[in-house]
Amino acid sequence: MNMRIVARLINLPENRGVRVTTAERALLLVRVGNQVRAFQAQCPHAGAPLEKGVICNGRIICPWHKAAFAVDSGAVVEPPALLGLKQYPVQVHDGVVSVGDEPMAAPTPTALAEDRCFAVIGAGAAGTAAVATLRRQGFSGRLLWIDREQAPAYDRTALSKFVIAGEMAPADTPPLLDAMPSRIHGEVQRLDAHVKRIELADGRHFDYDAALIATGGEAQPLDIPGAVLSNVFVLRSREDAARIDEAAKSAACAVIIGDSFIGLEAASALRQRGLVVQVVSRHQVPLAAQLGKRIGAAIRQLHEDNGVIFHSNTEPVRLDGHGAVSTVLLKNGKRLAADLVIMGVGVKPATGFVHGVDKAEDQSLNADSQLHVAPGLWAAGDNVTFAWQQQPTRIEHWRVAQQLAVLAARNMLGDTQVYADVPFFWTYHFDKTFEVLGRAQQWNRLHVEGDLQRHAFIALLCHDEQVEAVVACEHQQAMARLSQRMQQPLGKAEALAIIRLC
Ligand SMILES: Cc1cc2nc3c(=O)[nH]c(=O)nc-3n(C[C@H](O)[C@H](O)[C@H](O)COP(=O)(O)OP(=O)(O)OC[C@H]3O[C@@H](n4cnc5c(N)ncnc54)[C@H](O)[C@@H]3O)c2cc1C
Ligand code: FES
């Protein structure tokens, strides 16, 4: 193997990674004492430059969506990445650092002696993370991985940001794994938890020893006259996004019903492709329940500055058109022109097929802190209400769905893990990424560093002096550091010190 000189030890700081480029590739160099590790420089999730992230707690944290990798080995520790970093051999002689041109062999998992049959239902965020974990843990029994969607497991979050903006073809939606394990294509019609049996709509049936339900949610259309007209959409799957993309090609104006994260991402995407976009919402300030009024108002202002028109404190009463929708009539009497309508008003957990278990009022599956639903049955993702910090909790975030799935998969193998991380969420509007850490439920003080109006800020949502959640735009390093630190209770003064150091 050829070794190439890439750096001098003296030039490598201990607290952050450094990017170097050889003729073949970009590398991330990480120094620990007098030792140096070399990894691929880009995050395997969506390609973030890892030198822009941080190193803390023995982890490399990705700046974009906070995947974490072990500093020693590059092994993935937290999603959204599902693969570890490629590692390259390093030699340090007389303060000169050289790196080999071939990656080191990835460790192969020790196969667990196993004759059980596991089923994973769903190939979205949670299902794919569970399957990747079972593989990584060396599960060698029979694995049934079932999804009703034909497309390989893909990154749903790209749909509202890039696909309907016309920037990414639906078929190019990024896959979640490079090498996909084989999957059963079919709709699960019934899961009987008492007899541990899964039945598909086409008549096939399977018995399992342990199963994970990772079926997410179904976007709910509004039940109003005209909702069945063509060019009226919800947005959950790649097919939904492909239909919206197609309709948008010949559309001049769009109406978005609902000011949810997805509704507003859709408004941003369609506006950026040149449509007139109007958002109809029951609220004056979008996202106020999740982020508070000041931050919600700043996000609304960003949309208005880019030409989105809001109709607040009202709702649609009917959609009209001949075959295809052409207008939306609002409760306040206004009529809006619409070549296409997207309803972003909520999601219902996809659990109708599950029998013999306890369900919450919203039809999500009730699970304990280890995501255990019934004997031999676990759930993860948007469809589960689980015991977290003594509260029944349901969270609809991509990274959380994956984290829950990782621990459910481990628990299926006999572990007893509970969720001990910090919920993280990101959302993207007009080229600005807003990041949210934690869950602000009982906060009474807002501290803003930076400028909300310029969308360059980091805001602490506190209960008295205790940080409950952090919302930020353009503070990726501080958020990466806080994603680790907030795993323990964090006071405002220490949070501010961390932010000012970054
Ligand atoms: C357009 C869009 C953009 C988003 N953007 C973000 C974002 O930027 N950041 C963020 O944190 N979160 C985002 N989210 C939320 C995030 O995608 C969800 O929280 C996450 O996908 C939940 O994962 P899941 O595995 O529970 O469900 P899903 O990812 O929805 O996967 C469920 C899978 O189960 C399958 N399935 C359902 N029922 C059955 C059945 N009966 N039989 C067989 N298969 C079945 C479905 O086909 C699907 O493939 C976004 C969501 C959407 C829709
Ligand atoms: S690009 Fe690194 S976690 Fe998404």
Side-chain angles (χ1 to χ4, degrees):
M1 176 181 321
N2 295 323
M3 301 296 288
R4 290 179 200 281
I5 295 175
V6 291
R8 299 190 74 79
L9 188 63
I10 200 168
N11 294 333
L12 299 180
E14 286 217 43
N15 55 356
R16 66 181 171 82
V18 170
R19 187 187 186 98
V20 294
T21 313
T22 68
E24 291 84 24
R25 61 184 60 84
L27 293 165
L28 179 79
L29 300 184
V30 178
R31 177 176 173 181
V32 183
N34 281 336
Q35 294 196 332
V36 177
R37 312 257 187 260
F39 301 106
Q40 66 183 79
Q42 287 182 311
C43 178
H45 173 231
L50 288 170
E51 76 280 4
K52 299 240 157 74
V54 298
I55 295 177
C56 58
N57 288 354
R59 294 169 169 197
I60 302 163
I61 316 294
C62 174
W64 287 359
H65 315 110
K66 309 326 180 217
F69 307 91
V71 162
D72 276 353
S73 62
V76 61
V77 192
E78 290 292 348
L82 298 177
L83 294 173
L85 301 177
K86 279 190 196 134
Q87 187 174 11
Y88 294 82
V90 176
Q91 286 171 2
V92 183
H93 282 311
D94 295 336
V96 174
V97 181
S98 307
V99 176
D101 57 2
E102 293 294 327
M104 291 154 67
T108 41
T110 318
L112 305 171
E114 184 71 80
D115 56 5
R116 288 183 295 168
C117 173
F118 280 15
V120 174
I121 309 172
T128 309
V131 167
T133 305
L134 290 172
R135 264 196 335 187
R136 225 176 15 246
Q137 298 286 316
F139 175 73
S140 61
R142 185 170 177 224
L143 178 61
L144 309 167
W145 188 20
I146 308 168
D147 198 290
R148 63 185 172 197
E149 284 191 57
Q150 184 86 60
Y154 58 86
D155 185 348
R156 197 176 302 287
T157 67
L159 302 177
S160 47
K161 299 167 183 67
F162 311 117
V163 175
I164 66 167
E167 292 170 12
M168 180 186 279
D172 294 340
T173 314
L176 296 180
L177 291 173
D178 289 342
M180 286 292 171
S182 65
R183 228 173 63 200
I184 297 166
H185 176 220
E187 166 113 24
V188 177
Q189 198 169 50
R190 184 179 174 86
L191 181 148
D192 188 331
H194 294 307
V195 296
K196 297 188 177 174
R197 170 166 280 220
I198 292 165
E199 294 168 15
L200 302 194
D202 61 14
R204 285 176 289 173
H205 55 83
F206 306 98
D207 295 324
Y208 62 83
D209 297 302
L212 174 70
I213 304 180
T215 43
E218 273 156 11
Q220 295 300 293
L222 269 186
D223 186 15
I224 53 174
V228 294
L229 288 167
S230 62
N231 287 359
V232 178
F233 305 103
V234 292
L235 176 53
R236 183 82 194 180
S237 67
R238 200 168 90 166
E239 283 69 30
D240 295 335
R243 282 189 282 267
I244 294 170
D245 177 49
E246 201 47 45
K249 285 178 186 161
S250 55
C253 48
V255 170
I256 312 290
I257 300 175
D259 57 2
S260 61
F261 286 108
I262 291 175
L264 291 184
E265 285 193 350
S268 161
L270 295 179
R271 184 73 201 113
Q272 286 187 302
R273 92 190 259 172
L275 276 71
V276 172
V277 176
Q278 311 199 59
V279 174
V280 179
S281 142
R282 289 181 176 160
H283 322 107
Q284 180 66 30
V285 178
L287 312 173
Q290 296 91 339
L291 309 181
K293 280 193 178 163
R294 280 183 65 194
I295 297 172
I299 294 177
R300 173 172 168 149
Q301 192 60 53
L302 174 64
H303 277 256
E304 288 178 329
D305 290 347
N306 284 281
V308 175
I309 301 157
F310 282 81
H311 299 272
S312 303
N313 304 316
T314 189
E315 56 189 284
V317 287
R318 59 177 299 127
L319 311 179
D320 292 300
H322 298 291
V325 67
S326 58
T327 61
V328 178
L329 179 64
L330 304 186
K331 202 171 186 174
N332 64 12
K334 276 192 188 151
R335 192 176 279 279
L336 312 180
D339 297 325
L340 72 92
V341 169
I342 300 179
M343 297 183 170
V345 291
V347 166
K348 184 171 164 231
T351 59
F353 63 91
V354 189
H355 297 268
V357 301
D358 186 30
K359 294 186 190 173
E361 207 179 317
D362 64 3
Q363 295 307 300
S364 58
L365 304 173
N366 276 328
D368 65 14
S369 58
Q370 296 174 16
L371 302 169
H372 198 214
V373 172
L377 192 62
W378 284 261
D382 284 4
N383 67 4
V384 66
T385 295
F386 64 107
W388 183 52
Q389 299 180 338
Q390 279 93 48
Q391 298 285 335
T393 304
R394 190 166 85 82
I395 300 177
E396 293 179 12
H397 299 354
W398 182 266
R399 183 171 179 265
V400 175
Q402 293 181 312
Q403 288 173 321
L404 296 181
V406 169
L407 73 89
R410 292 198 172 133
N411 292 348
M412 287 165 79
L413 291 168
D415 229 327
T416 53
Q417 299 195 2
V418 301
Y419 186 68
D421 215 304
V422 187
F424 171 77
F425 179 83
W426 77 97
T427 182
Y428 180 78
H429 310 258
F430 298 104
D431 298 332
K432 299 271 181 197
T433 299
F434 295 82
E435 301 178 83
V436 184
L437 268 171
R439 290 197 96 202
Q441 289 183 305
Q442 298 201 318
W443 58 283
N444 52 15
R445 292 182 191 180
L446 177 71
H447 179 94
V448 180
E449 292 274 295
D451 190 340
L452 275 178
Q453 271 59 49
R454 281 185 41 246
H455 310 105
F457 69 90
I458 184 159
L460 305 179
L461 283 62
C462 298
H463 187 251
D464 299 334
E465 291 301 301
Q466 201 64 28
V467 177
E468 296 278 301
V470 185
V471 185
C473 191
E474 299 191 354
H475 280 74
Q476 291 177 330
Q477 286 201 340
M479 291 298 269
R481 212 165 274 288
L482 288 168
S483 71
Q484 297 297 302
R485 178 57 191 83
M486 283 174 68
Q487 290 171 11
Q488 307 298 326
L490 174 65
K492 181 175 132 191
E494 189 187 340
L496 287 174
I498 292 172
I499 292 165
R500 286 165 191 164
L501 259 182
C502 284

